[in-house]
Every structure is written in C-alpha cells, then in structure tokens.
Amino acid sequence: MPKAELIDITGQKFHRLTVLRFAYMGKRRRSYWECQCECGKIVIMRKDAFAYPYSQAKSCGCWHKEESRKRKKDSKTGKYIKK
C-alpha cells in the first residue's frame, strides 16, 4: 500500500488555533502540529483533534476555562445558569 502524502496546513486557522509548523509523525501515522492559540500559548496537537468538522478542540484549553467562568451553579437546584 502506498504511503499517504502529508498535506501542509501551515498558516491555516481552525477556531482559535493557527498552525505554525509540522511537529512530528506519531504512532499509527498520525500527524502532530505545532499551533498557536489566540491567547498566545503554543501547543502541539494531533491533526484530527482540531482540523476536521468532527474535531472537538477549539483552543489550547482557554476557551473551556472562559466558558466555565460564565456559568454559575444554582445553590438550590445544583444546575448551571448562564450569566
């Protein structure tokens, strides 16, 4: 079986992540990329974690922290309320 050619995604933006460069090829031929988040943090992530429609990663983790701060737990019901 012929090897799949690596598609260069350098410079592309996915949600809050901008791809800086290819990092390395991991196990099972999965590519890892160095990305910079809008908050300034640089992370290395697997391509399928951020670059496809089904991907769940939107940032380095800062987005989740921001969304968590927006929620407040109701002391009586225990459910979250958006501020």
Side-chain angles (χ1 to χ4, degrees), residues 21-72:
R21 67 180 182 89
F22 173 75
Y24 62 93
M25 190 65 71
K27 292 182 181 178
R28 298 182 184 164
R29 305 252 328 129
R30 293 191 172 142
S31 60
Y32 287 76
W33 296 81
E34 186 176 294
C35 304
Q36 184 169 17
C37 186
E38 286 180 1
C39 71
K41 186 174 180 180
I42 295 177
V43 292
I44 294 178
M45 298 181 76
R46 204 169 71 199
K47 183 181 176 184
D48 63 342
F50 67 89
Y52 297 107
Y54 60 80
S55 302
Q56 294 182 356
K58 293 177 176 24
S59 68
C60 65
C62 64
W63 180 85
H64 179 72
K65 290 176 189 173
E66 288 173 14
E67 289 298 308
S68 294
R69 280 189 216 114
K70 291 179 185 176
R71 294 186 200 115
K72 183 180 178 184

Side-chain angles (χ1 to χ4, degrees), residues 1-5 29:
M1 183 173 212
K3 291 185 179 181
E5 195 150 328
R29 305 252 328 129

